[in-house]
Amino acid sequence: MKLTRRDFLESSLAATVVICAVPPAGAAAGQAYNLELRPGTAQLVEDRSVLTNIWGFDGKVPGPVLRVKQGQPLSVTVTNRLEQPTSVHWHGLRIANAMDGVPGLTQEPIAPGETFTYRFTPPDAGTYWYHPHQRAWEQVARGLYGALIVEEDSAPDVDHDMLVIADDWYLGDDGAIDEKSFGNLHDWSHAGRMGNILTLNGKPYEHLEVASGDRVRLRLIGTTNARVLQLAIPNLRPWIVAHDGHPVTPYLASSDGVELSPGQRTDLIVDVPGKPGDKIPIVELSAGDKLVAGYIVIGEGTPKARRTTATPTALAANPVTRPAAVADQTVNLTMTGGAMRFLASAQFKGEQLDGRTLALDHGQTWAFNGVSGMPASPLFTTRRGETINLKMRNDTLWQHNIHLHGHHFVELSRHAPGGDGARTVTTDRADAFQDTILMQSDEQSEISFVADNPGKWMIHCHMLEHQASGMATWFEVT
Ligand code: C2O
Ligand code: CU
């Protein structure tokens, strides 16, 4: 499925400037929120007469921005006004297991009409997000997601703190969500369900209004089901200051922009020069074309003096324990299956089944270590505080995007495929803590983390169709 846009970077830009209000940063000081998951409508396409029926937190997409200070308790009372059971997962937060929102592992699903209160204290500052963990492949695709911002004790010196939540939608010509593609086994066994419409913050062409000379923090969040986005601001020179919530030593983003796989976050700080009325495009490059995703717009006002400090100072590190140099346990995680390398057989719910039965009777087309879907027993069990090295192999022809719950890891090494043994490649996230990692076909990656959060935690592919069709497991910290 190809993304379509009216605006390409090379095309002449539209004459009329539409400036939308952007909610002020830090507006909500409270630490208690109520959220309703319910149907709503959103204007996802440019034609203002077309509204799309979505499911959203408080009926909106994205849902309300939740803000809390690092180390402060937060409570979110969630009411399910949908016709199916649900749950809410706080992606990337290292919180108590009972609050992790995984039905069947950490809680019962929240039935229609029921309420559940999540209470937790985020230990790490940064950019996170929330989304259902029940039929996520449908519920997230219909619009159920929002940003959760954990504020640093001392915020960086910026004039704006803005969200850029990027999503693709699969809409029909009438602007309605294509429902018949939900559960499509072809998508599940290939790259996942791809959209044809791109939105930033739930809008067809988001306009982020700043003043000339402003320094802006942009929090990029990828909420696609499966598409790996590549976002860039070609006219500006943004610094990358954090990945997956965790500070990195600021470095300039390459002109290729920032890769944002499903669930990943990247924080940018960027200085915006220019004159009132300038529209600076934010583009999406994954398809090779420069599709305009939205704009930074310079509003009226006297330009500020340029900042004197060139590079922004690094954000304070979060209290994550570095893994030990020698692991207490090394665990293998081998991914198999999918189109063109279909599973011959795999275990599913304790039974060994052939690939055809797995796919046609159970919708399972992928496996971790020869097991499709959530196994009854954990991938591994560890005592609290142990360093775990996870040696992952993607033996499929497709990309996968592995997400670890309740913990953050560092990547130790990456091996690209190659006939004469492996070539080590480094990624720009090397050494940074992260919770979601993209792997290419036939790559190997070794990640390491301290299992210091007691409970039962999922590991899964965050390409949500892959998760649903086999790529899910869990581990237990005792
Ligand atoms: Cu963002 Cu297991 O999920
Ligand atoms: Cu996958």
Side-chain angles (χ1 to χ4, degrees):
M1 188 59 54
K2 206 164 149 51
L3 282 168
T4 53
R5 304 296 286 167
R6 178 202 63 191
D7 289 2
F8 288 78
L9 194 55
E10 280 75 19
S11 73
S12 61
L13 302 178
T16 29
V17 179
V18 185
I19 295 178
C20 310
V22 173
Q31 279 121 29
Y33 292 92
N34 289 297
L35 293 177
E36 271 190 15
L37 292 85
R38 57 175 148 87
T41 56
Q43 198 219 316
L44 302 178
V45 296
E46 247 191 307
D47 180 346
R48 286 178 178 268
S49 67
V50 177
L51 287 179
T52 301
N53 290 318
I54 55 117
W55 294 356
F57 285 91
D58 288 354
K60 297 198 240 331
V61 63
V65 181
L66 309 185
R67 280 186 174 262
V68 61
K69 279 220 170 301
Q70 183 174 16
Q72 297 292 305
L74 172 71
S75 90
V76 188
T77 298
V78 167
T79 304
N80 180 5
R81 302 269 176 236
L82 307 172
E83 279 169 4
Q84 35 177 269
T86 193
S87 75
V88 183
H89 170 58
W90 313 93
H91 183 117
L93 290 174
R94 300 185 301 128
I95 53 176
N97 190 242
M99 297 293 120
D100 198 43
V102 179
L105 195 67
T106 68
Q107 70 170 100
E108 288 302 311
I110 310 167
E114 278 187 2
T115 288
F116 187 94
T117 299
Y118 293 93
R119 288 194 179 82
F120 53 84
T121 301
D124 304 318
T127 304
Y128 302 93
W129 67 297
Y130 59 93
H131 64 79
H133 222 285
Q134 172 88 5
R135 284 175 77 88
W137 49 273
E138 176 182 1
Q139 295 191 7
V140 174
R142 286 185 183 273
L144 285 163
Y145 56 78
L148 195 164
I149 293 176
V150 184
E151 296 172 349
E152 295 89 7
D153 274 339
S154 55
D157 175 27
V158 293
D159 301 298
H160 299 273
D161 182 333
M162 291 170 149
L163 283 162
V164 179
I165 307 179
D167 196 9
D168 67 340
W169 300 78
Y170 186 16
L171 305 183
D173 291 339
D174 56 354
I177 290 176
D178 184 286
E179 295 182 330
K180 62 184 186 309
S181 59
F182 284 129
N184 177 308
L185 200 61
H186 181 273
D187 287 350
W188 286 28
S189 62
H190 289 70
R193 184 176 177 275
M194 298 282 175
N196 51 2
I197 291 291
L198 180 66
T199 58
L200 299 184
N201 301 334
K203 297 183 187 138
Y205 286 99
E206 173 64 307
H207 287 66
L208 300 170
E209 197 190 339
V210 305
S212 178
D214 278 351
R215 176 166 280 192
V216 184
R217 178 181 191 163
L218 295 174
R219 300 172 183 266
L220 313 184
I221 306 179
T223 63
T224 58
N225 272 35
R227 186 183 294 277
V228 178
L229 297 168
Q230 189 81 29
L231 293 177
I233 314 171
N235 300 2
L236 299 179
R237 305 215 63 201
W239 290 280
I240 292 174
V241 298
H243 281 302
D244 286 358
H246 292 289
V248 294
T249 307
Y251 63 100
L252 283 172
S254 88
S255 55
D256 296 341
V258 175
E259 181 180 84
L260 214 53
S261 68
Q264 284 186 330
R265 289 89 61 214
T266 291
D267 287 32
L268 304 176
I269 288 183
V270 65
D271 289 331
V272 186
K275 51 182 192 316
D278 281 359
K279 289 173 77 182
I280 301 161
I282 302 172
V283 300
E284 205 287 308
L285 301 166
S286 67
D289 302 320
K290 290 183 179 166
L291 305 177
V292 175
Y295 298 94
I296 298 172
V297 179
I298 300 183
E300 296 302 322
T302 338
K304 289 196 182 63
R306 290 297 303 271
R307 299 267 167 171
T308 45
T309 40
T311 307
T313 43
L315 302 167
N318 284 318
V320 191
T321 310
R322 287 245 155 226
V326 179
D328 297 294
Q329 259 194 82
T330 298
V331 178
N332 293 313
L333 182 76
T334 300
M335 307 160 208
T336 52
M340 291 174 285
R341 288 188 194 166
F342 274 113
L343 296 169
S345 82
Q347 219 183 78
F348 178 67
K349 296 194 168 151
E351 251 190 291
Q352 194 70 30
L353 300 174
D354 65 84
R356 200 184 148 78
T357 310
L358 282 167
L360 299 183
D361 295 357
H362 304 288
Q364 301 295 299
T365 62
W366 308 92
F368 282 162
N369 294 352
V371 180
S372 286
M374 283 287 272
S377 52
L379 177 67
F380 62 93
T381 302
T382 173
R383 289 215 315 275
R384 185 177 189 175
E386 286 190 346
T387 288
I388 305 298
N389 283 10
L390 198 57
K391 281 189 158 178
M392 304 189 291
R393 295 177 62 101
N394 176 5
D395 286 353
T396 79
L397 277 175
W398 302 89
Q399 293 179 313
H400 298 292
N401 188 44
I402 302 300
H403 172 50
L404 188 63
H405 279 219
H407 297 79
H408 289 177
F409 54 82
V410 291
E411 185 173 30
L412 300 179
S413 67
R414 173 84 64 127
H415 297 278
D420 55 342
R423 176 171 61 89
T424 299
V425 293
T426 50
T427 63
D428 70 344
R429 294 176 186 230
D431 212 39
F433 282 106
Q434 49 189 323
D435 55 57
T436 307
I437 187 168
L438 181 68
M439 288 179 68
Q440 306 300 331
S441 168
D442 284 328
E443 269 190 348
Q444 302 173 33
S445 165
E446 183 167 8
I447 62 173
S448 184
F449 65 99
V450 179
D452 55 3
N453 199 351
K456 298 175 174 178
W457 302 103
M458 267 192 99
I459 301 176
H460 64 87
C461 181
H462 216 291
M463 285 154 170
L464 300 174
E465 292 76 19
H466 294 176
Q467 175 189 350
S469 60
M471 304 190 93
T473 186
W474 59 288
F475 65 100
E476 183 160 20
V477 183
T478 57

